[in-house]
Amino acid sequence: MARNSDIQYIRLYTDGSAARQIDEPRPLPKKRKKPRPRPVKTVAIHIDPLALGGIVVALVMLVMMAVGMARLDSANQELEQMENYVLQLQQENLDLQDTFDHGYDLEEVRRSAMALGLVPEEEVPHVQIQLPQSADAQENVSWWDHFLVFLTQLFA
């Protein structure tokens, strides 16, 4: 004989029986425990202040170096312009010196000077004069007087 638990169709209510059966209340489904919400992982970026300061200093130095290079380039261009200007002035000076040297007749200038009454340097008598040393220069001056004179000249 079959065991009671193996025959399941007998327990079920079917339509057409004489007596109606009340539906058995179904057991409430067991509430599942909601899983604990996992903490949301936040992405945290840790910044080292010393490294950040180093980066800022490096960027400032890079900007300063770029500005320095630009100023150096402009100074080199100005130097090149000034060198060209000096060469131009030297050439102009040579041209003017050549014009001056060949533009005047020295004999004519000498004759004009003689006509005005000027005499050559060799014909003029030279007299040499010596002055005796004064008593003030021979006087001994102390180091304190030298110091006072120095301060007077310094702040004058």
Side-chain angles (χ1 to χ4, degrees):
M1 188 164 177
R3 284 192 280 159
N4 194 12
S5 63
D6 289 342
I7 305 172
Q8 295 182 4
Y9 64 89
I10 297 174
R11 282 197 231 155
L12 296 176
Y13 172 77
T14 59
D15 240 1
S17 300
R20 293 201 174 234
Q21 289 184 351
I22 299 175
D23 287 336
E24 292 180 17
R26 293 185 182 168
L28 293 174
K30 292 183 180 177
K31 290 186 177 177
R32 289 187 182 176
K33 289 183 179 177
K34 290 184 180 177
R36 286 186 182 172
R38 292 185 179 170
V40 179
K41 292 183 180 179
T42 57
V43 179
I45 299 174
H46 299 285
I47 299 174
D48 185 15
L50 190 60
L52 184 64
I55 291 171
V56 168
V57 167
L59 289 175
V60 167
M61 288 176 63
L62 180 67
V63 168
M64 290 176 65
M65 188 172 67
V67 169
M69 291 297 290
R71 290 180 66 191
L72 179 65
D73 186 44
S74 66
N76 283 337
Q77 288 177 354
E78 187 176 340
L79 175 68
E80 187 176 326
Q81 289 175 353
M82 288 298 120
E83 286 176 348
N84 291 337
Y85 184 64
V86 166
L87 290 175
Q88 178 186 358
L89 289 177
Q90 285 176 345
Q91 183 62 38
E92 185 179 341
N93 191 17
L94 288 175
D95 293 343
L96 290 174
Q97 185 68 36
D98 187 45
T99 303
F100 178 77
D101 290 342
H102 295 91
Y104 302 103
D105 183 19
L106 293 179
E107 187 60 34
E108 182 180 331
V109 172
R110 189 184 66 76
R111 275 186 268 137
S112 298
M114 292 293 221
L116 291 174
L118 299 177
V119 292
E121 185 181 359
E122 297 85 26
E123 296 178 9
V124 177
H126 294 282
V127 178
Q128 199 170 26
I129 300 174
Q130 289 185 345
L131 296 175
Q133 288 186 349
S134 65
D136 295 339
Q138 295 174 355
E139 185 179 309
N140 289 337
V141 181
S142 68
W143 65 273
W144 181 254
D145 293 332
H146 282 291
F147 181 71
L148 289 177
V149 169
F150 171 74
L151 287 179
T152 305
Q153 291 175 356
L154 184 65
F155 295 111

